[in-house]
Amino acid sequence: MFPIGRRSNTRRRPGACALVVVALLLLGAGDTARALDLFTLWHQQEIPLDLTPGSWVLYKSQTMASGRSDFDLTRVSCLPAPAAADSRNRVFEIIPMTQNEQGDFLPVAGQGVWLLVSGDIAAREGKLVDLVREAWQWEDGQAKRLAVSDLKNDPVAAGMLASDFRPDTLEEAGNTTRIISGQQFLCAQLVMSARDSQCVDLPAGRMSQITNHEITAAYHPDLPLLGLAYVAERISSASTLDSPNPRFRAPPPRNRVEIMELVGFGRDAVSLLGPGD
């Protein structure tokens, strides 16, 4: 809860309740924005796109928000379509990974998402979720077929399939060198920014929020899929409340930083999941 008055005052007024609810909704983007992932920049024509079957990438992600820091490892593999499907289609397997004491990256057994995606993905238009033709979720070694509408609720696939970042500005930055799996890549860089504003009239006054969204991406055409070697995303949001009553305050600013670093890649991927029976 955000402070709406003196601590000793536990009596809730309609205006105060509305302020809290709307503040939570407005500022939700700061902490509940879709996580950064491989397909966040799928629409950007400047970023290379390589859908060669057998390609795979492994990313380590770190998210810092609200005083917390979380880490994830995710492998995405691009595989040929099943024999009965259109040969232009592609299969994507999204698998959570772990790292053992020896430093080896291992798939979390029996976990992940298997997706059959239309070959229209190469056009980089529309929403990725609309291109999914078949989907299976694996959990504890058991497969469950998902309706496309259910994908939005899946913790692994939801963010990836709903990514729709469209920058207002795009600038080229200087090249940067990245070393991945013992290989050196001189990567081009893009800085992309978007700005969004929202406002709502409340009984307590008029609340406004401005959200700034910036993504810096380093990429190289010799890397699989979207060629992303490193991506840093920063989201900041700040609110103001124009109210004649000083008892009411806008929520504090919020910031979210996420970093996605390529730690492994290859061209020899084989299916680890497959569709269910």
Side-chain angles (χ1 to χ4, degrees):
M1 286 291 187
F2 299 108
I4 57 175
R6 298 176 182 172
R7 294 183 181 272
S8 61
N9 185 0
T10 58
R11 187 178 180 183
R12 296 174 180 258
R13 300 182 182 181
C17 293
L19 174 60
V20 173
V21 172
V22 174
L24 290 172
L25 292 174
L26 282 175
L27 282 183
D31 280 345
T32 62
R34 300 221 177 255
L36 183 66
D37 58 64
L38 176 63
F39 290 105
T40 295
L41 301 177
W42 170 60
H43 285 110
Q44 296 303 130
Q45 298 294 330
E46 298 81 2
I47 303 292
L49 179 63
D50 178 5
L51 298 174
T52 303
S55 301
W56 64 270
V57 288
L58 172 62
Y59 286 97
K60 178 186 292 185
S61 299
Q62 179 181 6
T63 303
M64 293 161 283
S66 301
R68 294 181 52 187
S69 183
D70 298 311
F71 295 85
D72 289 297
L73 284 167
T74 305
R75 171 174 162 150
V76 181
S77 299
C78 178
L79 303 166
D86 187 329
S87 61
R88 296 187 312 116
N89 293 355
R90 292 290 183 267
V91 167
F92 288 97
E93 289 189 347
I94 309 165
I95 300 175
M97 304 285 287
T98 187
Q99 188 173 17
N100 62 19
E101 294 181 356
Q102 291 72 40
D104 300 319
F105 297 107
L106 304 172
V108 178
Q111 301 287 118
V113 174
W114 184 97
L115 303 172
L116 176 62
V117 179
S118 167
D120 292 336
I121 186 176
R124 309 172 81 156
E125 298 176 351
K127 294 184 177 181
L128 190 57
V129 69
D130 295 331
L131 301 178
V132 176
R133 298 293 175 259
E134 186 178 344
W136 292 82
Q137 179 191 44
W138 286 79
E139 188 171 355
D140 297 327
Q142 301 296 316
K144 178 180 70 173
R145 187 160 188 167
L146 297 176
V148 174
S149 58
D150 293 335
L151 291 174
K152 297 177 182 179
N153 298 321
D154 183 83
V156 178
M160 184 168 291
L161 296 175
S163 298
D164 194 26
F165 178 69
R166 306 290 182 117
D168 299 324
T169 63
L170 185 151
E171 299 178 3
E172 293 183 358
N175 294 340
T176 183
T177 299
R178 305 290 303 181
I179 298 176
I180 308 161
S181 298
Q183 300 181 52
Q184 182 172 293
F185 296 89
L186 183 62
C187 300
Q189 290 192 103
L190 288 177
V191 179
M192 295 150 281
S193 302
R195 184 182 176 94
D196 178 62
S197 60
Q198 303 178 67
C199 61
V200 63
D201 290 318
L202 305 171
R206 184 175 182 84
M207 178 174 287
S208 302
Q209 176 185 264
I210 295 178
T211 300
N212 292 298
H213 191 171
E214 180 181 281
I215 294 179
T216 301
Y219 60 93
H220 194 283
D222 290 345
L223 296 173
L225 300 180
L226 287 174
L228 296 172
Y230 180 88
V231 186
E233 178 184 57
R234 299 172 182 83
I235 301 176
S236 61
S237 57
S239 298
T240 59
L241 178 64
D242 184 9
S243 174
N245 190 338
R247 291 169 57 86
F248 298 105
R249 305 174 186 174
R254 294 197 178 181
N255 297 281
R256 175 189 174 101
V257 176
E258 188 163 358
I259 296 171
M260 190 175 77
E261 180 181 10
L262 183 65
V263 294
F265 68 94
R267 306 281 182 180
D268 58 349
V270 296
S271 178
L272 299 180
L273 297 176
D277 297 327

